[in-house]
Amino acid sequence: ASGAGKEGNPADAGETIATFRVFRNGANSVAGNVDVSTVPGSGTAVGGAPNTVCQPGQDYTADGRTFVFTAGGDTSQDFTVRICRDLVFELTETFDAQLTNPTGGFLGAPAVATATIIDDDAAPTLSINSIQVNENAGTATLTVTQSIATALNTSFAFNTGAVGDTATGNVDYTSSSSTGSIPAGSTTASIVIPIIDDKIDEPNETCAVTLSAPVNATINDRTGIVTIVGNEPNTQFAINN
């Protein structure tokens, strides 16, 4: 039998167990044996040594044993595997249990079953900062920060410009709509926005940079504000009555 279950938290009571059920179908008038063992299969889960305490980086403890079916006895037995709990955000992972070396019978189908470990740890969050740059700085560099490092690559989309901006795209800065990424093990990425020095005497202007479409993360603070400080003399004219 194949199945899926949540990984669990190390602080939870008891153990997280994956259970495979081994069936003996057909005539059971004679005794028989069959070996059952965990195998990686095509899955990504990492198995530890049999009958050992879970170690960092392991997803389950490998196991293998021989099931003995007596004549006229049980028609099924359970093969249990300990799942290693952790607090690491990761993708859903799988491993297999495989039947081999039957006696008193032959292997039917299926002879391999899959366990799916569903991660239940919170995804990291992304935030973007706000900055102030001089109009003649050439570029504005914002930083996207991930709350924790993970073993997965994170990606996101971003675009410039929003309702309420006082800066104008492709006049005060170069408009952009693109993607960024944070490699596994890292927590930051940079977004570089070209700033245009328009040589016009004007007040400070603002442009929003907005994050969207995160992969392997969620967004906590999606909008950063670039304040462009004019570098021309700030000359103002006014009249009163």
Side-chain angles (χ1 to χ4, degrees), residues 10-85:
D12 295 341
E15 293 184 319
T16 301
I17 299 295
T19 301
F20 298 88
R21 180 151 293 177
V22 180
F23 294 94
R24 177 173 61 166
N25 298 319
N28 68 344
S29 58
V30 296
N33 299 341
V34 67
D35 293 340
V36 189
S37 59
T38 55
V39 293
S42 59
T44 55
V46 177
N51 303 314
T52 59
V53 176
C54 289
Q55 299 297 320
Q58 295 175 355
D59 300 302
Y60 66 96
T61 56
D63 201 358
R65 67 193 76 166
T66 298
F67 282 88
V68 177
F69 290 86
T70 59
D74 294 336
T75 57
S76 67
Q77 296 185 48
D78 287 343
F79 176 53
T80 58
V81 180
R82 182 187 298 115
I83 303 301
C84 298
R85 299 166 172 172

Side-chain angles (χ1 to χ4, degrees), residues 123-220:
T125 60
L126 301 179
S127 300
I128 186 171
N129 67 333
S130 295
I131 62 170
Q132 178 174 292
V133 296
N134 290 329
E135 187 178 42
N136 62 355
T139 59
T141 302
L142 298 93
T143 300
V144 178
T145 301
Q146 184 169 281
S147 57
I148 56 171
T150 73
L152 304 174
N153 295 322
T154 299
S155 64
F156 55 87
F158 67 89
N159 64 277
T160 56
V163 175
D165 284 358
T166 55
T168 302
N170 297 323
V171 174
D172 300 300
Y173 64 93
T174 301
S175 297
S176 180
S177 180
S178 188
T179 59
S181 62
I182 299 176
S186 299
T187 56
T188 60
S190 295
I191 296 175
V192 179
I193 307 299
I195 303 299
I196 300 172
D197 189 349
D198 58 14
K199 309 298 182 183
I200 298 174
D201 185 4
E202 56 193 351
N204 295 348
E205 298 172 305
T206 59
C207 159
V209 180
T210 305
L211 303 179
S212 62
V215 176
N216 294 329
T218 60
I219 294 178
N220 177 44

Side-chain angles (χ1 to χ4, degrees), residues 104-116:
F106 59 91
L107 294 182
V112 177
T114 299
T116 301

Side-chain angles (χ1 to χ4, degrees), residues 85-99:
R85 299 166 172 172
D86 61 36
L87 297 174
V88 178
F89 174 70
E90 52 198 347
L91 299 179
T92 296
E93 299 170 307
T94 63
F95 67 94
D96 293 342
Q98 181 175 359
L99 301 180

